[in-house]
Amino acid sequence: MAKMEKVFEEDVDSTGALGVKAFIKATKKILSSVSDEMLEALFLKVDTDCNGSITWQKYVDYVMREFQRKEMMRTSQYRLRFYLPMRIIPLNHGCEIVKVQILIQQFKKIGHLLTVTKDGILQIWSENFSLINSFRLNQIQQPHHQQMWVIDMVCLHNMNLIAIASTDQKIEFFDISNHNCARAFTFTDLDSCVLTIDYWSDCHRGVFCYGDTKGNVIVFTSSNVTHGLFNPRILPRTSKWDHWTNVSARKLLNEKSPLYRSYWLKALHPNWCQQVKFIPQLNMVASCSAIEKSSLVLTLLPSKGLESPKFSVLNLRKGILCFDYCPDKNLVVTGGYDPLIRLWNPFFSKRPMWLMKGHQTSVTHILMNSKNSSILFSISKDKNIRVWDMQDYICLQSFCGKLFALGNCPITSAYFHENEDSLVCTTYSIGILKGYLETKGPGKAGEKTSTYSTPLCAILYSKIFKQVVSGCLSSLVTVWEITTGRRMMEFCVTGDQHVELTTMCLDESERRLLTGLCDGTIKMWNYAVGECLLTFPNPDQLEVSGIVHMNKVFYVTGWSKRITCFTLHETKPMLRCHHWQNFHKEDVLSMAKYQNQFLGTSSYNGDVLLWNANLFKPILNFNASKSPLPLLPKKIQEVNDSPAEGFRSSRTYAEPKKWAHKAPTQPPDPRAKTAANAHLQRNVMSAPPVMKRPRDREPERPVPPQKPLSAESPKPFRIPYGRQSAPCNSGQGESRLTALLSWPTSLAQIIFLQTRPRLPHIATLLSSCVDGHIYAWSIHGGGGLLGKFPVDFEDKGDVVVGAMATDEKDLILVTGDCKGYIKIWDIKDYCTFSDKCPLQPNGTSKFQFLIPERVQINLPHYIPLKEKEVVAGQTISLVPPKLLNTWKDHLDSVADILYVDTFQLVISAGQDCNVKARKLSGDTVGTFGLSVWKRLRDIQMVGDPELRRNSKEEDDTVVAAQKAFHSELQEERALAEALVYQRQEEAALVALLNGKPDTEAEAWANLQKITQTSPWAGERSQEDVESSWCKWESKGKRESKVVGAAYKPKDRSRSPGLRSTNVQYGWMKYQISPQIYQSLHFNNLSPTHTSDLVLHNVLGQQGQRTHPVTHNRQKDPDADRETVPNTTTSSPTASLSPSDSPGSWSLACPPPRTSSPPPRSCPRHPGTSCRGRPPPCLLPRPSSSSQDP
């Protein structure tokens, strides 16, 4: 800091400040390894007022505030709290519990709690303290039924053993595998009675130590716990007649073995050893005694066998009863007969580093949270439990012993359960004190499973800082680093008040954050340090649903139904307020800006108003339920509020007899609502936060009919978090919510396509409606509704999009719906028309190359029944844009979504309290707050040729099996498209044949239009037809599925080649396809030449043969997949063509040839012959001048 101050003094200009270039140059003198990009980001964070220069004072303020805020964030994030009442588990035995511990088996996360009483009763409990099994230790393989008095117990978790120290001067080891208890071996020949035991192991190395009444400390270490210490096969028996192994402790201490080392520290303390513990971080064994001399001894174990242990002694007047080690601070925390808690440096033992006061009696237990070393627990003799913060050395919580129903005796044992964040205390009963982290709330202890504890409100992205800003309904705002997912900053925007956060936005410089609350409060923040810079006036005190910063003006809207703009005063530190005239009848749900000139607002009744920011009024109104054409906005009369001091308000002019509803100042109270009302509130969950609350009145106009919601209906409404509302009866609340759910025109969100021009036939505005559709609008005066499509291809209307985002060039649309699905749409050419004709596509979207082909093939395919519809003279496209990818990312509805171009990431926030990041391919990157991923790199956007080249290189590396899999999927998709087309064509043909004469022209035009979309309507050369036939003929005929590869198909003679004709196959584009005539009854047609009697008889026979085949095809339309029935028993060479007059047909057919086989129908071209050409009897007849008689 001194060097930085010196640099500032040397390089400042005449104003005493540094610009961005001067700051980078000056900082490079000290931090030469830091990149210019990082220094520029640091400058922008310090320059919160955006004047382009910073002073030394501003820099110091920023550094101090950032340090303080990060420290507060860290401590609040990991502070553990406990809540009453304590859960009491009474026990039936009459002795106190000596020890409680948890046994977590190797390679398993679930463990079991063990308790042992003074009289030797061992009990095994589940993690939720359900009793599994109970044993009396003195009755397990005991020849003499003598009473056992237990002093201490320790678990050897990696070997499924427990060690019990008793007054018999023995340490007995029991195997408790499979919830049973069997005696394994016993340490005998102890020097005195063992008082305390400890065991540590990392599954490779093991340390077992104990202390006795003579002050001795015995340590056994083993570098291989599997084949070393405590292996029954290597432990020598004292007698071969013993039923179990008795091991002499003296023999183990005196003998030298390569499997273990032993240390006998004689008379380390002049009095009883109260506690012994191995500290793996220091490779020390610590032991304490309640005496002034050698109160705490730290024994450093040698790393080599020939060395001797080294000691560090700590003396305290009243001795030490308990201790624990804090690895983060490198401190030893001790408690004794005095009520003080002392913190010692293990390498400086003359005096304590810190004292923590609070207890009134002697401290008997000290516990450190091993999962979070910033939390310390202490228990005194009067059962006073205290929770300490090791960062600030303050007491967070204190519980009096009178609050616990544990009896009158002191707490005998305590254990902190890390997995459950609970403190277990024992006397004659078991008491469990549940804990939780401050950021989670009560009742949510354990591992963190979501980003927040409440649903999300909004997410934003800052390009200059490469940070994601997210906010939840509990008003907690978090700043994340997008490259790694690390939490950079976290702060609450409401302080101590519980007010719901409803909206957020970044200013134009992306350096400041604007937040809006449900009580109308608006604040400006320096989100880099969590500092509030400005609080806006709040004249309406109504909920804010949208904030936009454009051209140095802040635009705010919400339940006030109007736009309020705020501008900074030129000379005074104050804001000027200006209320625009009211044109909305209902609450405004969403607001967006377009090209820094226009504003768009959408209201609850479906109105979308386009405002000209320079004129302070709307110029167009769009509402799909009223008209697809632009409408003129109508001014609404409102009650004028008196302007607040310090800013001015505009006067509104209005039409008479049109009043906007004035929402109440105090929101209604959800606690007074009934269960039925609450059920209605949970029925919808997908709209923005302002749309997710109960209304306070009925709609003003009649509600149009709507399809009832199903069980899986969208949930655009939710129960507000922490809302305070006015009491109301259940009938009123239910009627209001019912009316709210029955309005089908409400808009969830609007979004502008910034790169598209404002032209009549180009869609620039997208709006998502609660009917499950996305509407595309042209915001030109001559525009209107250009297209709409359902986000769910089943088109049930129960999937509502609550969040939309686009890339920088508006090539893709990213949507998140009420079922948690994320979808990527290709909107490069969607609703871009020129003179009402589609523009020519200018290349494939590069995003198609970024998504794997296998993903795109598996996507659902949707073909609407109609391509467009005409309403009030406006042509509306019904064809949806191409779906590039989709995946389910959230268990509940998506609250907000954004796309980051530089990293090609889709970041979504859901009502399931999670913020997730995925790639465009759908691959998971991570969940913010739960994981930290490998640092991401910026992705340089390249052009289409390079993308194609890269895609081709990737395709060359794909294995042959994957290519075969892709080809099969493409064939299945092509077959599905062909079947869909065939059904549409058959329906159009039936309408043509059965229609009335006045509708014949329209039906014929519809049939020609459908024929143009045929998958095989293109002209094909004779070579293509022949090669496709040969491929089809040879496919699948080399081997029989019935008789195997030895099968040879029977050779059959073929009919002679057809007579050459000048007919072009391109006629299929404009006439009825050939395969259709297989369903016509030829006996209903009359030939043009009736004089030929033989020909007439042939026609009759042909009609009789064709009739049953037609019946069979109508019964099974999908029969072409496997076998196609022969339409005739011979191969006639008849030709059929439309004559000059409508409705007359000509038919010519020579006598049948019985010797030739029937023609095959190609599955690729239904209705064509076996060589890719239509059957001769179905070919169009040539002109009369060239026809043979």
Short mmCIF file of all heavy atoms in Angstrom, two decimals, residues 78 91 102 153 192 301 334 357 364 567 607 702 832 912 976 1010 1016 1166 1168 1171:
data_model
loop_
_atom_site.label_atom_id
_atom_site.label_comp_id
_atom_site.label_asym_id
_atom_site.label_seq_id
_atom_site.Cartn_x
_atom_site.Cartn_y
_atom_site.Cartn_z
N TYR A 78 -20.39 -19.24 6.82
CA TYR A 78 -20.05 -20.45 7.54
C TYR A 78 -20.40 -20.39 9.02
O TYR A 78 -20.01 -21.27 9.78
CB TYR A 78 -18.54 -20.73 7.39
CG TYR A 78 -18.15 -21.01 5.97
CD1 TYR A 78 -17.46 -20.07 5.22
CD2 TYR A 78 -18.47 -22.22 5.36
CE1 TYR A 78 -17.09 -20.31 3.92
CE2 TYR A 78 -18.11 -22.48 4.05
CZ TYR A 78 -17.43 -21.53 3.34
OH TYR A 78 -17.08 -21.77 2.04
N LEU A 91 -33.22 -42.81 28.25
CA LEU A 91 -32.71 -44.18 28.30
C LEU A 91 -33.20 -44.87 29.58
O LEU A 91 -33.45 -44.22 30.59
CB LEU A 91 -31.18 -44.18 28.26
CG LEU A 91 -30.55 -43.52 27.02
CD1 LEU A 91 -29.04 -43.56 27.12
CD2 LEU A 91 -31.03 -44.19 25.74
N ILE A 102 -19.09 -41.50 16.73
CA ILE A 102 -19.67 -41.98 15.48
C ILE A 102 -18.65 -42.88 14.80
O ILE A 102 -17.45 -42.63 14.82
CB ILE A 102 -20.06 -40.81 14.56
CG1 ILE A 102 -20.82 -41.33 13.34
CG2 ILE A 102 -18.86 -39.98 14.15
CD1 ILE A 102 -21.45 -40.25 12.50
N MET A 153 -14.04 -44.80 25.77
CA MET A 153 -14.22 -45.60 24.56
C MET A 153 -13.72 -44.80 23.37
O MET A 153 -13.83 -43.57 23.33
CB MET A 153 -15.70 -45.95 24.36
CG MET A 153 -15.98 -46.71 23.05
SD MET A 153 -17.74 -46.97 22.73
CE MET A 153 -18.26 -45.30 22.34
N SER A 192 -1.13 -49.10 34.89
CA SER A 192 -2.15 -48.55 35.79
C SER A 192 -3.46 -48.46 35.02
O SER A 192 -3.56 -48.89 33.86
CB SER A 192 -1.74 -47.17 36.32
OG SER A 192 -1.58 -46.26 35.26
N LEU A 301 6.42 -36.50 17.68
CA LEU A 301 6.89 -37.84 17.36
C LEU A 301 8.00 -37.78 16.32
O LEU A 301 7.93 -37.00 15.35
CB LEU A 301 5.73 -38.69 16.83
CG LEU A 301 4.55 -38.87 17.78
CD1 LEU A 301 3.48 -39.73 17.12
CD2 LEU A 301 4.99 -39.49 19.09
N THR A 334 -7.90 -24.31 25.10
CA THR A 334 -7.93 -25.07 26.35
C THR A 334 -9.01 -24.53 27.27
O THR A 334 -9.39 -23.36 27.21
CB THR A 334 -6.58 -25.00 27.07
OG1 THR A 334 -6.31 -23.64 27.44
CG2 THR A 334 -5.47 -25.52 26.18
N LYS A 357 -14.10 -14.96 27.37
CA LYS A 357 -14.84 -15.03 28.62
C LYS A 357 -16.32 -15.22 28.34
O LYS A 357 -16.83 -14.78 27.31
CB LYS A 357 -14.62 -13.76 29.43
CG LYS A 357 -13.16 -13.47 29.77
CD LYS A 357 -13.01 -12.17 30.53
CE LYS A 357 -11.55 -11.86 30.83
NZ LYS A 357 -11.40 -10.58 31.58
N THR A 364 -15.55 -27.99 30.85
CA THR A 364 -15.28 -29.44 30.84
C THR A 364 -15.10 -30.03 29.45
O THR A 364 -14.51 -31.11 29.33
CB THR A 364 -16.44 -30.18 31.54
OG1 THR A 364 -17.68 -29.85 30.88
CG2 THR A 364 -16.53 -29.76 33.00
N THR A 567 -33.68 11.26 -13.23
CA THR A 567 -32.45 11.81 -13.79
C THR A 567 -31.68 12.49 -12.67
O THR A 567 -32.26 13.07 -11.75
CB THR A 567 -32.75 12.82 -14.91
OG1 THR A 567 -33.63 13.83 -14.41
CG2 THR A 567 -33.40 12.13 -16.10
N ASP A 607 -51.65 -6.19 -23.05
CA ASP A 607 -51.24 -5.02 -23.81
C ASP A 607 -49.73 -4.88 -23.81
O ASP A 607 -49.08 -5.02 -22.77
CB ASP A 607 -51.86 -3.74 -23.22
CG ASP A 607 -53.34 -3.63 -23.53
OD1 ASP A 607 -53.78 -4.24 -24.52
OD2 ASP A 607 -54.07 -2.95 -22.78
N PRO A 702 -65.07 -8.77 -19.19
CA PRO A 702 -65.35 -10.21 -19.12
C PRO A 702 -64.15 -11.02 -19.58
O PRO A 702 -63.43 -10.66 -20.50
CB PRO A 702 -66.55 -10.37 -20.08
CG PRO A 702 -67.14 -9.00 -20.17
CD PRO A 702 -66.02 -8.03 -20.00
N THR A 832 -38.73 -12.87 -40.99
CA THR A 832 -38.05 -11.79 -41.73
C THR A 832 -38.57 -11.87 -43.16
O THR A 832 -38.14 -12.71 -43.94
CB THR A 832 -36.53 -11.97 -41.69
OG1 THR A 832 -36.19 -13.28 -42.16
CG2 THR A 832 -36.02 -11.81 -40.27
N ASP A 912 -36.28 -23.60 -8.32
CA ASP A 912 -35.73 -24.63 -7.43
C ASP A 912 -34.49 -24.14 -6.69
O ASP A 912 -33.74 -24.96 -6.15
CB ASP A 912 -35.40 -25.89 -8.23
CG ASP A 912 -34.39 -25.62 -9.34
OD1 ASP A 912 -34.06 -24.43 -9.56
OD2 ASP A 912 -33.93 -26.57 -9.99
N ALA A 976 -40.43 -40.71 -41.22
CA ALA A 976 -41.50 -40.02 -40.48
C ALA A 976 -42.02 -38.82 -41.25
O ALA A 976 -43.23 -38.59 -41.32
CB ALA A 976 -40.98 -39.59 -39.10
N ILE A 1010 -49.67 -28.67 -51.25
CA ILE A 1010 -49.11 -29.76 -50.45
C ILE A 1010 -48.15 -30.60 -51.28
O ILE A 1010 -47.11 -31.05 -50.79
CB ILE A 1010 -50.25 -30.62 -49.86
CG1 ILE A 1010 -51.06 -29.79 -48.84
CG2 ILE A 1010 -49.72 -31.88 -49.22
CD1 ILE A 1010 -52.23 -30.53 -48.27
N TRP A 1016 -40.04 -36.16 -52.02
CA TRP A 1016 -39.44 -36.70 -53.26
C TRP A 1016 -39.98 -35.98 -54.49
O TRP A 1016 -40.08 -36.55 -55.57
CB TRP A 1016 -39.71 -38.19 -53.37
CG TRP A 1016 -41.16 -38.54 -53.15
CD1 TRP A 1016 -42.17 -38.47 -54.03
CD2 TRP A 1016 -41.74 -38.99 -51.93
NE1 TRP A 1016 -43.34 -38.84 -53.46
CE2 TRP A 1016 -43.12 -39.17 -52.17
CE3 TRP A 1016 -41.23 -39.25 -50.67
CZ2 TRP A 1016 -43.97 -39.60 -51.17
CZ3 TRP A 1016 -42.07 -39.68 -49.69
CH2 TRP A 1016 -43.43 -39.86 -49.94
N PRO A 1166 -43.25 -44.20 -52.90
CA PRO A 1166 -44.51 -44.96 -52.89
C PRO A 1166 -45.31 -44.68 -54.14
O PRO A 1166 -45.49 -43.51 -54.54
CB PRO A 1166 -45.21 -44.47 -51.64
CG PRO A 1166 -44.11 -43.92 -50.79
CD PRO A 1166 -43.10 -43.37 -51.73
N THR A 1168 -44.52 -45.81 -57.17
CA THR A 1168 -43.71 -45.95 -58.37
C THR A 1168 -43.37 -47.41 -58.60
O THR A 1168 -43.52 -48.24 -57.71
CB THR A 1168 -42.42 -45.11 -58.25
OG1 THR A 1168 -41.69 -45.60 -57.12
CG2 THR A 1168 -42.76 -43.65 -58.02
N ARG A 1171 -38.45 -49.89 -60.63
CA ARG A 1171 -37.24 -49.23 -61.08
C ARG A 1171 -37.34 -47.71 -60.91
O ARG A 1171 -36.70 -46.95 -61.61
CB ARG A 1171 -36.95 -49.55 -62.52
CG ARG A 1171 -36.55 -51.00 -62.71
CD ARG A 1171 -35.99 -51.23 -64.10
NE ARG A 1171 -35.56 -52.59 -64.24
CZ ARG A 1171 -34.34 -53.02 -63.95
NH1 ARG A 1171 -33.46 -52.17 -63.47
NH2 ARG A 1171 -34.02 -54.27 -64.12
#
